[in-house]
Amino acid sequence: DIQMTQSPSSLSASVGDRVTITCQASQDISNYLNWYQQKPGKAPKLLIYDASNLETGVPSRFSGSGSGTDFTFTISSLQPEDIATYYCQQYDNLPPTFGQGTKLEIK
Amino acid sequence: QVQLVQSGAEVKKPGSSVKVSCKASGGTFSSYAISWVRQAPGQGLEWMGGIIPIFGTANYAQKFQGRVTITADESTSTAYMELSSLRSEDTAVYYCAKASGEMATIGAFDIWGQGTMVTVSS
């Protein structure tokens, strides 16, 4: 199985800050990488697909980049409603696998 | 817009089985894969398997092979996940999720069910 390593595992930032999360794959996955947001008690929500494409209806402060093994997820200006856990997910190979998550908190 | 509605919470004894349903409404069901993803308390997301209803054949994560059965009923637009030989470590929220690409086994999961809590306890 392809291992997905996210960092950091937790992050504290202030409203308005630029926030960056990284995700590294254990092998080349091209751009088959998605990002999700999960709020407590809720199902995950797709934010970014194919590494850099913004899902319909998702605010433009969210963005993604990368290819191969190294990927980045960015929130350009953190808002209070962005408090959540974020996961990357690869789908280059079965089984699709997720990173361990990054818990984002407000400072 | 497709919506996925799952069956309610379950409490099961170790060694028993559980069957969770996921009913789709508001869109095409048969040609989009439905996957099952679980999340143990305080833990991350784990893919268990998936099925494209029109094909009827499921793919499973090796970890669950032999213990999980995923099926789909096109007539009712409902997918099912049955997990057998339950143990305490299977206590988790179980989600169904739709793949975004038509006829694609996996991809981005663009629509999720609300989750079903399964508790395994003696």
Side-chain angles (χ1 to χ4, degrees):
Chain A
D1 297 0
I2 297 175
Q3 304 303 313
M4 306 301 294
T5 304
Q6 271 182 249
S7 62
S9 55
S10 64
L11 173 56
S12 182
S14 300
V15 172
D17 281 355
R18 183 180 183 86
V19 170
T20 298
I21 299 168
T22 63
C23 183
Q24 185 170 59
S26 59
Q27 64 188 68
D28 189 334
I29 59 169
S30 184
N31 69 329
Y32 300 130
L33 189 285
N34 307 311
W35 290 96
Y36 300 86
Q37 175 192 68
Q38 186 179 33
K39 296 184 177 181
K42 299 294 187 182
K45 175 186 176 182
L46 177 65
L47 300 180
I48 302 286
Y49 64 93
D50 295 346
S52 60
N53 295 292
L54 196 65
E55 176 72 346
T56 303
V58 173
S60 59
R61 64 180 180 275
F62 296 101
S63 65
S65 64
S67 67
T69 60
D70 296 301
F71 301 86
T72 300
F73 172 81
T74 300
I75 306 173
S76 61
S77 178
L78 184 66
Q79 300 302 302
E81 61 266 30
D82 299 336
I83 298 314
T85 300
Y86 293 84
Y87 293 93
C88 61
Q89 173 240 328
Q90 69 79 23
Y91 67 99
D92 182 57
N93 278 346
L94 279 172
T97 48
F98 295 85
Q100 79 277 18
T102 295
K103 187 174 183 179
L104 179 54
E105 298 173 331
I106 292 284
K107 194 181 291 183
Chain B
Q1 175 79 324
V2 173
Q3 285 190 309
L4 301 176
V5 178
Q6 298 182 221
S7 50
E10 302 263 12
V11 180
K12 294 293 183 180
K13 300 285 189 191
S16 66
S17 298
V18 67
K19 190 171 186 177
V20 182
S21 67
C22 171
K23 183 173 177 60
S25 62
T28 304
F29 173 74
S30 295
S31 56
Y32 290 86
I34 298 290
S35 281
W36 289 89
V37 176
R38 78 176 188 180
Q39 186 171 40
Q43 302 301 308
L45 302 165
E46 183 176 35
W47 184 83
M48 301 176 67
I51 188 169
I52 301 177
I54 197 170
F55 297 147
T57 302
N59 291 282
Y60 301 113
Q62 190 168 9
K63 175 178 178 176
F64 299 100
Q65 199 90 26
R67 227 171 37 102
V68 67
T69 304
I70 294 172
T71 56
D73 182 340
E74 291 184 78
S75 68
T76 59
S77 299
T78 303
Y80 299 90
M81 185 283 300
E82 183 169 23
L83 187 61
S84 62
S85 302
L86 290 168
R87 37 218 190 217
S88 58
E89 311 89 89
D90 294 318
T91 294
V93 176
Y94 290 76
Y95 294 102
C96 60
K98 170 191 160 291
S100 59
E102 194 169 16
M103 302 296 190
T105 300
I106 54 174
F109 300 121
D110 61 347
I111 306 292
W112 294 67
Q114 83 276 19
T116 297
M117 182 71 210
V118 175
T119 303
V120 183
S121 174
S122 53

